[in-house]
Structure formats: C-alpha cells, structure tokens
Amino acid sequence: MTGIRRKRPADALDSIDAIEPPGNVETVVGVLSVTVLVEVLGVLSGSEVWLLGLLVFLPGTASALCTVQQTKFVAAWTTLFVTFTVVVRAVSGDRWLDRALLVLLTLALGAASVYACHRRIGREHEMLRLRSTAAAMQRHILHPLPLLTDDVLVNGIYEPVQEDRLVGGDIYDVVASPWGTRVLIGDVQGKGLAAVGAAFAVIGAFREAAHREPTLTALVDALDGAVVRHNSYAEQTGDDDRFVTALVVGIDADAEAQVVNCGHVPPRLLHEGVVATPVVDTGVPLGLAELAVEPTTVDWFTFPAGSTLVLTTDGLTETRAGDGTFYPLDERLAKYLDLSPTELPKALHEDSREFTGDGRRHDDVAVLTVRRSPSR
C-alpha cells in the first residue's frame, strides 16, 4: 500500500462565500433613482411633502443590504432631502409641527438603520468565522473526496441537512491499511452537537484501528468500543446515549470484498449494466454489541475489476415523496448506469431532492462510489 492520494484537492472547502453588498456607485444610483421617483410622483399628485414618507424608510432598506458607510450615506442624504423639502421648499407655514415630526422621524430612523447595519455586519462576520472554522474541521475530519488507493477510487457527496453546519451525523472515511483498503460509511443516531461528537469518536477509532487490526471483525469491535466509551462520557455530561449504524468494507487484490454491516443500508454493486445487492447479514449498530445474540461476522461478495460499489446512508433511501413513497434507489441507479462514478453521487443527490417535490431534506445525505481498479 502506498497510502491514500487525493485526486482533486480543489474539491475541498477552501473558502466560504459571503454575500457581497452593492458597490458605492450602485448605492448612489439607487438612492438618486428613488429620490427622482418621489419628486415625479409629488409633482404629478400635487402632494410632494407627504410622499416623502417613502424616503423615510430608505435607510432601513440600506441597512439590510449595504455596508455601514453606505447606510450612513443613505441616512444622511434622506435626512437632508426631507429637511430641504419640508422646511426650505414649504410655501406655507402651516402644519409646522407635522413637518418637524417628519424631520425628527427621518433622523431617528436613519440612526436606527445605521445601528442595525452595524449589528448585521457584526453577525455576518461572526457567522463567516464560524463557518470557516467548521470548514477547517470538515477538511481534517471528513477527508475531501475523491480519494485514490492502490485498490479503489472513492468518490462521493456529503450534504448535512443543516446547510450552515458543514459537519453532521453522517460519516465516511477511507484508510489504506497493510491489509488493503478499508472504507467506512455510517450514520449517528440523533441530531445536534452530541451526534457530531459520536461521529468524531467513530472516525478517530476507525483511522487508528484500521491500521492495527488485521481483520474486519476486530476493527468493528474497536469501533463499537469507541462508541461505548463515548456514551459513558456523554452520560457524565448529561447527554443521551448514541448508536451508530455503519458499513465497513475491506478491499484488496482478491476478486472478493469483505463487508461487515452494523445495521446500515446494504451496498449496491454496479457491474456490466446490472444493479445488484450483495447478500449481507445485518448486525446490530455500533454501541449495541453487548445486546447481540451472535458475534460480529464478515460477509464476502464478488467485486470484479472495473465494477462500482454504491454506499449510502438512510438520508437517501428514506427520502419521501409528497405521497409518502420512499426513494426507489435501485430503480434510479438503473437509470444512471451510464454515468461515471464521479458523476453518479451528485446525480442521485439531485434526483432525490426532485423526488421530494419541494427540494427539502429531513436528514443528512452521504453517497459514496467505490470504483474497483480495472487492473485488479
């Protein structure tokens, strides 16, 4: 084994995009356009002063879209224009109290808009900082795909249900061990930070034990122990116990692959235009081994050269349409057999979103393709 090689490191999350505010020129043009519109409407209606109420709320709009400096400009312009109109251009001196209140209201809303813009910018910067931290965590904990070993090319897609949280409860990893390539895909029970903590515990244990344990059964036992220890710590901090469904696949130079299924979605094998589901016994999830009647066992199935394994979490298979129908994974896989292993995960993910009818998801989704090297 020569280790794992990243085929396209650029796929990693190297930057977080921010919403760009309008430029200074666009801001000035927008403000002047609204001012001209108010002037025209005032001339046509013969009630120019009262149409100035349209301008009073212009700084509030700027506070939601512009920078602090741009919002200050809009507030200052609005205040000056309203003051000029209701004081200097007033033909009669009646209703002076109403005019004074309009100027004071404009001043107050302008100041409030500048303050609100300052708070918004601060929150956006904090969110960007947190998202950048989450992206860095994801790069170190969930390796960017695709990953290449001597045996397989692993590609895929991972989408947490909460898009502002880049790491969720679904996990995956690939290790090039002395006994071949080990691939893990799993799903932590529950949501929130507690689920993420359990996910980190399993990934850390997998990376260490995959290099130490010569058999998949011993590897899975190590993962189960990691979940049990995590639950013991969680109890001390008041969190709930978690279990983790997982699928661990071992691939080497032989024509057969090994797999241990711990309550997870079974793999699909794509070969010569046929979608097949290898016969795999389903054991108990990680963290519940002490409840199992039988010990952990390994299943074997044929994994020919040039064929592809599709590994998913139940976020894909339990996607529902509006009428409650589950996403027909085998049927859709047959539809996309002409796609490459690189294109297939994204196609399945997008197809599942369309299948729901509203594009909404209720669980994290992870889809991996494991392509056997044609030379094997």
Side-chain angles (χ1 to χ4, degrees):
M1 280 291 165
T2 59
I4 293 177
R5 302 181 293 280
R6 292 185 176 89
K7 290 284 285 184
R8 290 184 286 121
D11 283 359
L13 291 174
D14 294 324
S15 64
I16 301 295
D17 294 332
I19 299 176
E20 292 293 336
N24 293 331
V25 175
E26 290 86 349
T27 302
V28 173
V29 171
V31 171
L32 293 179
S33 299
V34 174
T35 304
V36 171
L37 177 62
V38 170
E39 281 286 287
V40 172
L41 292 176
V43 172
L44 295 177
S45 65
S47 180
E48 181 178 22
V49 171
W50 304 118
L51 283 172
L52 292 176
L54 296 174
L55 289 178
V56 170
F57 298 100
L58 189 57
T61 303
S63 70
L65 302 175
C66 301
T67 65
V68 174
Q69 293 300 322
Q70 291 169 343
T71 304
K72 288 181 179 178
F73 164 76
V74 175
W77 171 268
T78 303
T79 302
L80 289 174
F81 187 82
V82 170
T83 302
F84 175 78
T85 301
V86 303
V87 177
V88 178
R89 297 176 58 181
V91 177
S92 62
D94 61 340
R95 306 183 67 87
W96 60 268
L97 180 59
D98 290 344
R99 299 174 189 276
L101 289 176
L102 181 58
V103 173
L104 291 176
L105 178 62
T106 305
L107 280 170
L109 290 180
S113 298
V114 172
Y115 175 74
C117 182
H118 180 78
R119 292 289 302 272
R120 175 182 64 84
I121 296 296
R123 288 194 299 268
E124 287 180 354
H125 287 169
E126 179 67 12
M127 181 59 68
L128 289 175
R129 186 185 67 80
L130 293 175
R131 285 176 60 83
S132 297
T133 302
M137 291 174 60
Q138 186 187 48
R139 284 194 297 268
H140 286 85
I141 295 171
L142 295 180
H143 288 146
L145 297 170
L147 298 170
L148 177 66
T149 71
D150 291 343
D151 305 296
V152 294
L153 171 64
V154 181
N155 214 317
I157 187 171
Y158 171 56
E159 291 289 342
V161 65
Q162 294 177 319
E163 295 180 356
D164 60 341
R165 181 183 297 164
L166 300 183
V167 181
D170 285 3
I171 56 176
Y172 68 83
D173 205 3
V174 181
V175 170
S177 76
W179 302 278
T181 301
R182 271 90 185 266
V183 181
L184 164 72
I185 187 169
D187 185 1
V188 180
Q189 172 252 341
K191 303 294 181 187
L193 292 177
V196 174
F200 291 173
V202 174
I203 291 176
F206 177 77
R207 290 177 181 169
E208 190 274 331
H211 289 283
R212 184 189 70 234
E213 302 296 346
T215 65
L216 286 194
T217 52
L219 171 57
V220 170
D221 289 343
L223 300 183
D224 182 83
V227 176
V228 171
R229 289 190 295 273
H230 174 79
N231 285 336
S232 177
Y233 174 78
E235 289 181 0
Q236 299 175 19
T237 58
D239 291 331
D240 295 332
D241 289 352
R242 306 281 171 174
F243 63 81
V244 183
T245 67
L247 194 72
V248 181
V249 182
I251 305 159
D252 55 22
D254 294 336
E256 289 187 314
Q258 307 175 56
V259 62
V260 177
N261 189 346
C262 303
H264 198 74
V265 180
R268 266 64 172 186
L269 178 65
L270 311 183
H271 181 59
E272 296 182 346
V274 177
V275 180
T277 302
V279 179
V280 176
D281 291 334
T282 302
V284 298
L286 301 176
L288 303 178
E290 63 180 12
L291 303 179
V293 178
E294 299 180 355
T296 303
T297 58
V298 177
D299 291 293
W300 299 74
F301 62 91
T302 302
F303 188 18
S307 58
T308 300
L309 274 181
V310 178
L311 313 179
T312 75
T313 57
D314 60 12
L316 181 68
T317 58
E318 294 185 0
T319 297
R320 291 176 182 252
D323 60 359
T325 305
F326 286 108
Y327 182 73
L329 177 58
D330 293 331
E331 176 184 322
R332 299 307 174 102
L333 280 173
K335 174 183 175 182
Y336 294 119
L337 285 174
D338 58 332
L339 296 182
S340 69
T342 300
E343 300 169 327
L344 182 58
K346 184 176 181 180
L348 288 174
H349 178 250
E350 292 178 349
D351 185 58
S352 67
R353 292 182 72 109
E354 294 178 2
F355 181 78
T356 63
D358 57 8
R360 296 181 179 178
R361 293 179 289 108
H362 302 283
D363 199 359
D364 303 332
V365 173
V367 182
L368 300 183
T369 54
V370 183
R371 178 74 169 182
R372 166 80 86 168
S373 172
S375 61
R376 293 287 179 175

